[in-house]
Amino acid sequence: MDKFPQNVILSGVSMISSTNHGGIIEHETLDSVKIGYFENSNLPLEIQETRCKRLINKHNECVYDDNVKLTRWRKLVYNATLNSVCTLTGVDVGRLELWGANDTITRKAMREVLEIAKSNGVEVPESTIEEMLGQMGFITHHMLVDIRKGNYIEVEVILGNAVRTAMRNGVVCPILTLIYNLLRVVQMRTKEAKGAITVPP
Ligand SMILES: *[C@@H]1O[C@H](CO)[C@@H](O)[C@H](O)[C@H]1NC(C)=O
Ligand SMILES: *[C@@H]1O[C@H](CO)[C@@H](O)[C@H](O)[C@H]1NC(C)=O
């Protein structure tokens, strides 16, 4: 918005749910993409809405999203917490839940996401937490799959941006901050393994 004050800025949130169980791909729910505009106060809202809707047609099955900021934060309630913790512990969400993480980690971390969203002007309903916790199959998240393949992980978008928003807005989020910093170490480990960095002898 600062760099492109006269542009319409769109945001797309995709949900994909497929998982590989021993070579068999299960496509658990239909994929979806929601697209909305990030309100730019320099432009009339109708223009932003029209431009956004122009992208949506019967071929791509995108859905117009009139509150994409809420959709983004809702997605993070799940992904900033479960995806990250599963990546650190090396288990799928089903095992994480089975072994007691609902109370000890997940709900607390999810509540922090709600607080950060609120500081960003977005009220994510409290009920989202139980809703997300209720949908956990034995799914291995993409960041964990990336670790297993020796790839980099998208920790900055999944967690880094949320933690930075918290710092800017003075929100205390000890659990997410710790998870984020642990994952950054994991990312450095991958960098070293790929030869992208070296450590002093
Ligand atoms: C988590 O993020 C992945 C990758 O963007 C996405 O496919 C998945 O649908 C997300 N899960 C939720 C519940 O938002
Ligand atoms: C975790 O929370 C969800 C949602 O409330 C619930 O359905 C599930 O049974 C809980 N799991 C455990 C092991 O308590």
Side-chain angles (χ1 to χ4, degrees):
M1 224 66 94
D2 293 340
K3 288 195 177 141
F4 302 98
Q6 294 306 319
N7 287 55
V8 175
I9 298 177
L10 303 181
S11 168
V13 181
S14 67
M15 304 280 200
I16 302 165
S17 175
S18 61
T19 187
N20 181 342
H21 290 295
I24 297 168
I25 309 293
E26 277 181 40
H27 206 168
E28 322 229 350
T29 56
L30 282 181
D31 299 353
S32 70
V33 185
K34 290 179 162 183
I35 301 183
Y37 62 85
F38 264 175
E39 209 172 304
N40 182 344
S41 52
N42 303 322
L43 299 170
L45 291 185
E46 307 79 72
I47 291 191
Q48 302 179 61
E49 186 174 329
T50 313
R51 292 275 173 80
C52 181
K53 286 185 168 168
R54 209 191 276 166
L55 268 180
I56 296 166
N57 59 56
K58 64 180 184 332
H59 302 296
N60 59 26
E61 292 178 10
C62 294
V63 177
Y64 176 66
D65 188 344
D66 64 7
N67 195 348
V68 76
K69 275 180 93 176
L70 173 63
T71 308
R72 294 183 78 84
W73 280 108
R74 259 183 65 87
K75 181 168 168 168
L76 284 191
V77 172
Y78 184 98
N79 264 325
T81 57
L82 289 167
N83 200 337
S84 314
V85 174
C86 288
T87 305
L88 282 173
T89 53
V91 299
D92 56 56
V93 278
R95 285 178 173 77
L96 193 74
E97 181 201 327
L98 201 63
W99 295 336
N102 267 8
D103 292 334
T104 55
I105 309 169
T106 318
R107 276 199 191 93
K108 292 177 187 160
M110 287 182 170
R111 203 151 282 129
E112 290 184 359
V113 177
L114 260 53
E115 285 299 311
I116 304 170
K118 195 185 278 178
S119 79
N120 193 231
V122 177
E123 288 281 343
V124 181
E126 181 80 24
S127 58
T128 310
I129 294 180
E130 294 313 307
E131 196 186 312
M132 297 285 179
L133 282 174
Q135 321 174 336
M136 313 209 289
F138 287 81
I139 290 168
T140 302
H141 278 291
H142 60 281
M143 283 209 295
L144 179 53
V145 174
D146 280 332
I147 289 294
R148 288 182 179 157
K149 290 182 167 170
N151 292 339
Y152 292 127
I153 48 176
E154 53 166 350
V155 56
E156 295 304 330
V157 271
I158 292 245
L159 205 50
N161 287 338
V163 169
R164 278 185 289 274
T165 303
M167 280 168 70
R168 252 196 326 273
N169 297 345
V171 178
V172 182
C173 55
I175 298 178
L176 293 182
T177 306
L178 177 62
I179 297 171
Y180 170 56
N181 284 303
L182 290 171
L183 284 173
R184 274 172 46 130
V185 174
V186 171
Q187 189 83 314
M188 294 309 277
R189 187 183 72 197
T190 308
K191 280 192 182 174
E192 187 185 11
K194 283 179 179 289
I197 54 163
T198 50
V199 291

Short mmCIF file of all heavy atoms in Angstrom, two decimals, residues 97-148:
data_model
loop_
_atom_site.label_atom_id
_atom_site.label_comp_id
_atom_site.label_asym_id
_atom_site.label_seq_id
_atom_site.Cartn_x
_atom_site.Cartn_y
_atom_site.Cartn_z
N GLU A 97 -2.80 -34.08 18.73
CA GLU A 97 -4.03 -33.98 19.53
C GLU A 97 -4.13 -35.16 20.51
O GLU A 97 -4.36 -34.97 21.70
CB GLU A 97 -5.23 -33.97 18.60
CG GLU A 97 -6.54 -33.85 19.34
CD GLU A 97 -7.74 -34.33 18.52
OE1 GLU A 97 -7.73 -34.17 17.30
OE2 GLU A 97 -8.67 -34.87 19.14
N LEU A 98 -3.90 -36.35 19.98
CA LEU A 98 -4.00 -37.58 20.78
C LEU A 98 -3.07 -37.54 21.99
O LEU A 98 -3.40 -38.01 23.07
CB LEU A 98 -3.60 -38.74 19.86
CG LEU A 98 -4.03 -40.15 20.20
CD1 LEU A 98 -5.55 -40.24 20.19
CD2 LEU A 98 -3.44 -41.12 19.16
N TRP A 99 -1.93 -36.93 21.82
CA TRP A 99 -0.93 -36.92 22.87
C TRP A 99 -1.01 -35.67 23.74
O TRP A 99 -0.04 -35.28 24.38
CB TRP A 99 0.47 -37.13 22.26
CG TRP A 99 0.59 -38.50 21.64
CD1 TRP A 99 -0.15 -39.61 21.95
CD2 TRP A 99 1.49 -38.91 20.58
NE1 TRP A 99 0.23 -40.67 21.15
CE2 TRP A 99 1.23 -40.28 20.31
CE3 TRP A 99 2.48 -38.27 19.85
CZ2 TRP A 99 1.92 -41.01 19.33
CZ3 TRP A 99 3.18 -38.99 18.88
CH2 TRP A 99 2.90 -40.34 18.63
N GLY A 100 -2.17 -35.03 23.72
CA GLY A 100 -2.46 -34.04 24.75
C GLY A 100 -2.22 -32.57 24.43
O GLY A 100 -2.32 -31.73 25.32
N ALA A 101 -1.93 -32.24 23.18
CA ALA A 101 -1.54 -30.86 22.89
C ALA A 101 -2.70 -29.86 22.92
O ALA A 101 -2.46 -28.65 23.08
CB ALA A 101 -0.85 -30.78 21.54
N ASN A 102 -3.95 -30.35 22.79
CA ASN A 102 -5.11 -29.42 22.84
C ASN A 102 -4.96 -28.40 23.96
O ASN A 102 -5.01 -27.20 23.73
CB ASN A 102 -6.40 -30.20 23.16
CG ASN A 102 -7.16 -30.64 21.90
OD1 ASN A 102 -6.66 -30.49 20.80
ND2 ASN A 102 -8.36 -31.17 22.10
N ASP A 103 -4.80 -28.91 25.17
CA ASP A 103 -4.78 -28.03 26.34
C ASP A 103 -3.41 -27.43 26.60
O ASP A 103 -3.29 -26.28 27.01
CB ASP A 103 -5.19 -28.81 27.60
CG ASP A 103 -6.66 -29.20 27.53
OD1 ASP A 103 -7.42 -28.49 26.83
OD2 ASP A 103 -7.03 -30.22 28.15
N THR A 104 -2.35 -28.23 26.39
CA THR A 104 -1.02 -27.75 26.78
C THR A 104 -0.45 -26.73 25.79
O THR A 104 0.29 -25.85 26.19
CB THR A 104 -0.03 -28.92 26.91
OG1 THR A 104 -0.03 -29.66 25.68
CG2 THR A 104 -0.41 -29.84 28.06
N ILE A 105 -0.78 -26.88 24.52
CA ILE A 105 -0.16 -25.98 23.52
C ILE A 105 -1.19 -25.30 22.61
O ILE A 105 -1.22 -24.07 22.51
CB ILE A 105 0.81 -26.76 22.59
CG1 ILE A 105 1.80 -27.60 23.41
CG2 ILE A 105 1.55 -25.79 21.66
CD1 ILE A 105 2.60 -28.59 22.57
N THR A 106 -2.01 -26.11 21.94
CA THR A 106 -2.73 -25.59 20.77
C THR A 106 -3.71 -24.47 21.11
O THR A 106 -3.67 -23.41 20.48
CB THR A 106 -3.46 -26.74 20.05
OG1 THR A 106 -2.59 -27.87 20.00
CG2 THR A 106 -3.83 -26.35 18.63
N ARG A 107 -4.59 -24.71 22.09
CA ARG A 107 -5.58 -23.66 22.42
C ARG A 107 -4.90 -22.37 22.82
O ARG A 107 -5.32 -21.28 22.42
CB ARG A 107 -6.49 -24.11 23.57
CG ARG A 107 -7.64 -24.94 23.11
CD ARG A 107 -8.78 -24.99 24.13
NE ARG A 107 -9.69 -26.03 23.69
CZ ARG A 107 -9.63 -27.30 24.10
NH1 ARG A 107 -8.73 -27.66 25.00
NH2 ARG A 107 -10.46 -28.19 23.61
N LYS A 108 -3.83 -22.48 23.62
CA LYS A 108 -3.14 -21.26 24.08
C LYS A 108 -2.53 -20.51 22.91
O LYS A 108 -2.61 -19.28 22.83
CB LYS A 108 -2.04 -21.62 25.09
CG LYS A 108 -2.56 -22.16 26.41
CD LYS A 108 -1.41 -22.56 27.30
CE LYS A 108 -1.94 -23.26 28.56
NZ LYS A 108 -0.90 -24.06 29.21
N ALA A 109 -1.90 -21.26 22.00
CA ALA A 109 -1.28 -20.61 20.84
C ALA A 109 -2.34 -19.99 19.95
O ALA A 109 -2.17 -18.88 19.44
CB ALA A 109 -0.45 -21.64 20.06
N MET A 110 -3.47 -20.69 19.78
CA MET A 110 -4.55 -20.16 18.94
C MET A 110 -5.12 -18.87 19.54
O MET A 110 -5.44 -17.92 18.83
CB MET A 110 -5.66 -21.19 18.77
CG MET A 110 -5.28 -22.33 17.84
SD MET A 110 -6.63 -23.50 17.63
CE MET A 110 -6.01 -24.51 16.28
N ARG A 111 -5.23 -18.85 20.88
CA ARG A 111 -5.73 -17.64 21.53
C ARG A 111 -4.80 -16.46 21.26
O ARG A 111 -5.25 -15.33 21.08
CB ARG A 111 -5.88 -17.92 23.04
CG ARG A 111 -6.86 -17.00 23.71
CD ARG A 111 -7.54 -17.63 24.92
NE ARG A 111 -8.59 -18.55 24.56
CZ ARG A 111 -8.69 -19.80 25.02
NH1 ARG A 111 -7.79 -20.27 25.86
NH2 ARG A 111 -9.70 -20.56 24.66
N GLU A 112 -3.50 -16.72 21.21
CA GLU A 112 -2.56 -15.64 20.89
C GLU A 112 -2.81 -15.10 19.47
O GLU A 112 -2.74 -13.89 19.25
CB GLU A 112 -1.11 -16.14 21.01
CG GLU A 112 -0.70 -16.41 22.45
CD GLU A 112 0.77 -16.80 22.61
OE1 GLU A 112 1.51 -16.90 21.59
OE2 GLU A 112 1.20 -17.02 23.75
N VAL A 113 -3.11 -16.00 18.53
CA VAL A 113 -3.39 -15.53 17.16
C VAL A 113 -4.62 -14.61 17.18
O VAL A 113 -4.62 -13.55 16.54
CB VAL A 113 -3.63 -16.71 16.18
CG1 VAL A 113 -3.99 -16.20 14.79
CG2 VAL A 113 -2.41 -17.62 16.11
N LEU A 114 -5.64 -14.98 17.95
CA LEU A 114 -6.84 -14.14 18.05
C LEU A 114 -6.50 -12.75 18.59
O LEU A 114 -7.02 -11.74 18.12
CB LEU A 114 -7.87 -14.81 18.96
CG LEU A 114 -9.02 -15.56 18.29
CD1 LEU A 114 -8.54 -16.58 17.28
CD2 LEU A 114 -9.92 -16.24 19.32
N GLU A 115 -5.60 -12.71 19.59
CA GLU A 115 -5.20 -11.42 20.18
C GLU A 115 -4.46 -10.55 19.15
O GLU A 115 -4.69 -9.34 19.06
CB GLU A 115 -4.26 -11.66 21.38
CG GLU A 115 -4.97 -12.14 22.63
CD GLU A 115 -5.99 -11.14 23.13
OE1 GLU A 115 -5.63 -9.96 23.25
OE2 GLU A 115 -7.14 -11.54 23.39
N ILE A 116 -3.57 -11.19 18.40
CA ILE A 116 -2.79 -10.42 17.41
C ILE A 116 -3.74 -9.90 16.32
O ILE A 116 -3.65 -8.75 15.90
CB ILE A 116 -1.67 -11.28 16.78
CG1 ILE A 116 -0.75 -11.84 17.87
CG2 ILE A 116 -0.85 -10.44 15.80
CD1 ILE A 116 0.24 -12.89 17.37
N ALA A 117 -4.68 -10.75 15.90
CA ALA A 117 -5.64 -10.34 14.87
C ALA A 117 -6.42 -9.12 15.37
O ALA A 117 -6.62 -8.15 14.64
CB ALA A 117 -6.59 -11.49 14.55
N LYS A 118 -6.83 -9.18 16.63
CA LYS A 118 -7.60 -8.07 17.20
C LYS A 118 -6.79 -6.77 17.15
O LYS A 118 -7.31 -5.71 16.81
CB LYS A 118 -7.97 -8.41 18.65
CG LYS A 118 -9.04 -7.51 19.22
CD LYS A 118 -9.31 -7.76 20.69
CE LYS A 118 -10.24 -8.95 20.91
NZ LYS A 118 -10.46 -9.21 22.35
N SER A 119 -5.48 -6.87 17.43
CA SER A 119 -4.63 -5.67 17.40
C SER A 119 -4.49 -5.16 15.97
O SER A 119 -4.07 -4.02 15.74
CB SER A 119 -3.25 -5.98 17.98
OG SER A 119 -2.45 -6.66 17.03
N ASN A 120 -4.83 -6.01 15.00
CA ASN A 120 -4.77 -5.64 13.57
C ASN A 120 -6.17 -5.23 13.07
O ASN A 120 -6.40 -5.09 11.88
CB ASN A 120 -4.24 -6.85 12.80
CG ASN A 120 -3.82 -6.54 11.39
OD1 ASN A 120 -4.23 -7.21 10.45
ND2 ASN A 120 -3.03 -5.51 11.19
N GLY A 121 -7.10 -5.10 14.01
CA GLY A 121 -8.45 -4.66 13.66
C GLY A 121 -9.37 -5.76 13.18
O GLY A 121 -10.42 -5.49 12.60
N VAL A 122 -9.01 -7.02 13.43
CA VAL A 122 -9.83 -8.13 12.94
C VAL A 122 -10.31 -8.99 14.12
O VAL A 122 -9.51 -9.51 14.89
CB VAL A 122 -9.02 -9.02 11.96
CG1 VAL A 122 -9.83 -10.21 11.50
CG2 VAL A 122 -8.57 -8.19 10.76
N GLU A 123 -11.63 -9.08 14.26
CA GLU A 123 -12.20 -9.89 15.34
C GLU A 123 -12.47 -11.29 14.83
O GLU A 123 -13.45 -11.54 14.14
CB GLU A 123 -13.54 -9.29 15.79
CG GLU A 123 -13.45 -8.00 16.57
CD GLU A 123 -13.06 -8.19 18.04
OE1 GLU A 123 -13.16 -9.33 18.55
OE2 GLU A 123 -12.66 -7.19 18.65
N VAL A 124 -11.61 -12.22 15.16
CA VAL A 124 -11.86 -13.62 14.80
C VAL A 124 -12.68 -14.22 15.95
O VAL A 124 -12.26 -14.14 17.11
CB VAL A 124 -10.54 -14.40 14.63
CG1 VAL A 124 -10.81 -15.84 14.24
CG2 VAL A 124 -9.64 -13.72 13.61
N PRO A 125 -13.86 -14.80 15.65
CA PRO A 125 -14.68 -15.32 16.74
C PRO A 125 -13.96 -16.40 17.56
O PRO A 125 -13.24 -17.22 16.98
CB PRO A 125 -15.89 -15.93 16.03
CG PRO A 125 -15.86 -15.45 14.63
CD PRO A 125 -14.47 -14.99 14.33
N GLU A 126 -14.15 -16.34 18.86
CA GLU A 126 -13.54 -17.30 19.79
C GLU A 126 -13.88 -18.75 19.38
O GLU A 126 -13.07 -19.67 19.54
CB GLU A 126 -14.10 -16.98 21.19
CG GLU A 126 -13.59 -17.82 22.34
CD GLU A 126 -12.20 -17.40 22.86
OE1 GLU A 126 -11.83 -16.22 22.66
OE2 GLU A 126 -11.53 -18.25 23.45
N SER A 127 -15.08 -18.95 18.83
CA SER A 127 -15.53 -20.30 18.46
C SER A 127 -14.65 -20.93 17.37
O SER A 127 -14.66 -22.15 17.19
CB SER A 127 -16.97 -20.23 17.95
OG SER A 127 -17.05 -19.35 16.85
N THR A 128 -13.86 -20.09 16.68
CA THR A 128 -12.97 -20.62 15.63
C THR A 128 -12.00 -21.65 16.21
O THR A 128 -11.64 -22.61 15.54
CB THR A 128 -12.17 -19.45 15.00
OG1 THR A 128 -13.08 -18.42 14.65
CG2 THR A 128 -11.40 -19.88 13.78
N ILE A 129 -11.60 -21.42 17.46
CA ILE A 129 -10.61 -22.31 18.07
C ILE A 129 -11.15 -23.75 18.11
O ILE A 129 -10.50 -24.67 17.61
CB ILE A 129 -10.23 -21.82 19.48
CG1 ILE A 129 -9.50 -20.47 19.37
CG2 ILE A 129 -9.38 -22.85 20.22
CD1 ILE A 129 -9.05 -19.87 20.69
N GLU A 130 -12.34 -23.92 18.68
CA GLU A 130 -12.88 -25.29 18.79
C GLU A 130 -13.21 -25.85 17.41
O GLU A 130 -13.04 -27.04 17.15
CB GLU A 130 -14.12 -25.32 19.69
CG GLU A 130 -13.85 -24.98 21.16
CD GLU A 130 -12.64 -25.70 21.77
OE1 GLU A 130 -12.58 -26.95 21.68
OE2 GLU A 130 -11.77 -25.02 22.34
N GLU A 131 -13.64 -24.95 16.53
CA GLU A 131 -13.95 -25.37 15.16
C GLU A 131 -12.70 -25.96 14.48
O GLU A 131 -12.75 -27.03 13.88
CB GLU A 131 -14.41 -24.12 14.41
CG GLU A 131 -15.12 -24.33 13.12
CD GLU A 131 -15.36 -22.96 12.47
OE1 GLU A 131 -15.84 -22.03 13.16
OE2 GLU A 131 -15.01 -22.83 11.30
N MET A 132 -11.58 -25.28 14.62
CA MET A 132 -10.33 -25.75 14.01
C MET A 132 -9.85 -27.03 14.69
O MET A 132 -9.41 -27.96 14.04
CB MET A 132 -9.23 -24.68 14.13
CG MET A 132 -9.53 -23.40 13.42
SD MET A 132 -9.33 -23.57 11.64
CE MET A 132 -9.79 -21.93 11.08
N LEU A 133 -9.96 -27.06 16.01
CA LEU A 133 -9.51 -28.25 16.75
C LEU A 133 -10.34 -29.46 16.39
O LEU A 133 -9.86 -30.59 16.44
CB LEU A 133 -9.61 -28.01 18.27
CG LEU A 133 -8.52 -27.18 18.91
CD1 LEU A 133 -8.87 -26.92 20.37
CD2 LEU A 133 -7.17 -27.89 18.82
N GLY A 134 -11.60 -29.22 16.03
CA GLY A 134 -12.49 -30.32 15.70
C GLY A 134 -12.23 -30.94 14.33
O GLY A 134 -12.75 -31.99 14.01
N GLN A 135 -11.39 -30.26 13.49
CA GLN A 135 -11.21 -30.78 12.13
C GLN A 135 -9.90 -31.51 11.91
O GLN A 135 -9.39 -31.54 10.82
CB GLN A 135 -11.15 -29.66 11.08
CG GLN A 135 -12.04 -28.51 11.22
CD GLN A 135 -11.70 -27.44 10.17
OE1 GLN A 135 -10.59 -27.38 9.66
NE2 GLN A 135 -12.68 -26.62 9.85
N MET A 136 -9.31 -32.04 12.97
CA MET A 136 -7.97 -32.57 12.77
C MET A 136 -7.97 -34.04 12.43
O MET A 136 -8.27 -34.88 13.26
CB MET A 136 -7.16 -32.34 14.04
CG MET A 136 -7.33 -30.92 14.54
SD MET A 136 -5.94 -30.32 15.42
CE MET A 136 -6.02 -31.24 16.91
N GLY A 137 -7.63 -34.36 11.20
CA GLY A 137 -7.41 -35.75 10.84
C GLY A 137 -5.94 -36.06 11.03
O GLY A 137 -5.20 -35.27 11.61
N PHE A 138 -5.50 -37.21 10.52
CA PHE A 138 -4.07 -37.52 10.63
C PHE A 138 -3.34 -36.91 9.44
O PHE A 138 -2.84 -37.60 8.57
CB PHE A 138 -3.87 -39.03 10.77
CG PHE A 138 -4.28 -39.54 12.11
CD1 PHE A 138 -5.61 -39.79 12.41
CD2 PHE A 138 -3.34 -39.70 13.12
CE1 PHE A 138 -6.00 -40.22 13.67
CE2 PHE A 138 -3.72 -40.12 14.39
CZ PHE A 138 -5.07 -40.38 14.66
N ILE A 139 -3.34 -35.58 9.43
CA ILE A 139 -2.79 -34.84 8.30
C ILE A 139 -1.37 -34.37 8.62
O ILE A 139 -1.12 -33.82 9.70
CB ILE A 139 -3.68 -33.61 8.00
CG1 ILE A 139 -5.02 -34.10 7.43
CG2 ILE A 139 -3.01 -32.65 7.03
CD1 ILE A 139 -6.06 -33.01 7.37
N THR A 140 -0.47 -34.61 7.69
CA THR A 140 0.89 -34.10 7.85
C THR A 140 0.98 -32.80 7.07
O THR A 140 0.67 -32.75 5.89
CB THR A 140 1.92 -35.11 7.29
OG1 THR A 140 1.74 -36.34 7.98
CG2 THR A 140 3.33 -34.61 7.51
N HIS A 141 1.38 -31.75 7.78
CA HIS A 141 1.39 -30.44 7.13
C HIS A 141 2.55 -30.24 6.20
O HIS A 141 3.59 -30.87 6.32
CB HIS A 141 1.37 -29.35 8.19
CG HIS A 141 -0.02 -29.13 8.64
ND1 HIS A 141 -0.94 -28.57 7.80
CD2 HIS A 141 -0.65 -29.44 9.78
CE1 HIS A 141 -2.09 -28.54 8.43
NE2 HIS A 141 -1.94 -29.07 9.63
N HIS A 142 2.35 -29.28 5.28
CA HIS A 142 3.35 -29.09 4.23
C HIS A 142 4.70 -28.66 4.77
O HIS A 142 5.72 -29.00 4.21
CB HIS A 142 2.83 -28.11 3.17
CG HIS A 142 2.50 -26.76 3.72
ND1 HIS A 142 1.33 -26.49 4.39
CD2 HIS A 142 3.22 -25.62 3.72
CE1 HIS A 142 1.33 -25.23 4.75
NE2 HIS A 142 2.44 -24.69 4.37
N MET A 143 4.73 -27.93 5.90
CA MET A 143 6.05 -27.52 6.41
C MET A 143 6.83 -28.74 6.90
O MET A 143 8.04 -28.82 6.72
CB MET A 143 5.93 -26.49 7.53
CG MET A 143 5.61 -25.09 7.03
SD MET A 143 6.25 -23.78 8.11
CE MET A 143 5.32 -24.05 9.59
N LEU A 144 6.12 -29.69 7.50
CA LEU A 144 6.79 -30.91 7.96
C LEU A 144 7.25 -31.74 6.76
O LEU A 144 8.34 -32.30 6.76
CB LEU A 144 5.86 -31.71 8.88
CG LEU A 144 6.41 -33.03 9.42
CD1 LEU A 144 7.77 -32.86 10.10
CD2 LEU A 144 5.41 -33.66 10.40
N VAL A 145 6.41 -31.78 5.73
CA VAL A 145 6.80 -32.49 4.51
C VAL A 145 8.06 -31.84 3.94
O VAL A 145 9.01 -32.52 3.53
CB VAL A 145 5.65 -32.47 3.47
CG1 VAL A 145 6.09 -33.07 2.14
CG2 VAL A 145 4.44 -33.23 4.01
N ASP A 146 8.10 -30.49 3.97
CA ASP A 146 9.29 -29.79 3.48
C ASP A 146 10.53 -30.17 4.28
O ASP A 146 11.60 -30.39 3.72
CB ASP A 146 9.07 -28.27 3.51
CG ASP A 146 8.25 -27.79 2.32
OD1 ASP A 146 8.31 -28.45 1.26
OD2 ASP A 146 7.56 -26.77 2.44
N ILE A 147 10.39 -30.21 5.61
CA ILE A 147 11.54 -30.58 6.45
C ILE A 147 12.03 -31.98 6.07
O ILE A 147 13.22 -32.22 5.92
CB ILE A 147 11.13 -30.55 7.95
CG1 ILE A 147 10.93 -29.11 8.40
CG2 ILE A 147 12.16 -31.25 8.82
CD1 ILE A 147 12.16 -28.26 8.40
N ARG A 148 11.08 -32.90 5.92
CA ARG A 148 11.48 -34.28 5.61
C ARG A 148 12.19 -34.37 4.27
O ARG A 148 13.01 -35.25 4.06
CB ARG A 148 10.24 -35.19 5.62
CG ARG A 148 9.74 -35.41 7.04
CD ARG A 148 8.54 -36.33 7.08
NE ARG A 148 8.13 -36.53 8.47
CZ ARG A 148 6.91 -36.90 8.84
NH1 ARG A 148 5.99 -37.13 7.92
NH2 ARG A 148 6.62 -37.07 10.11
#
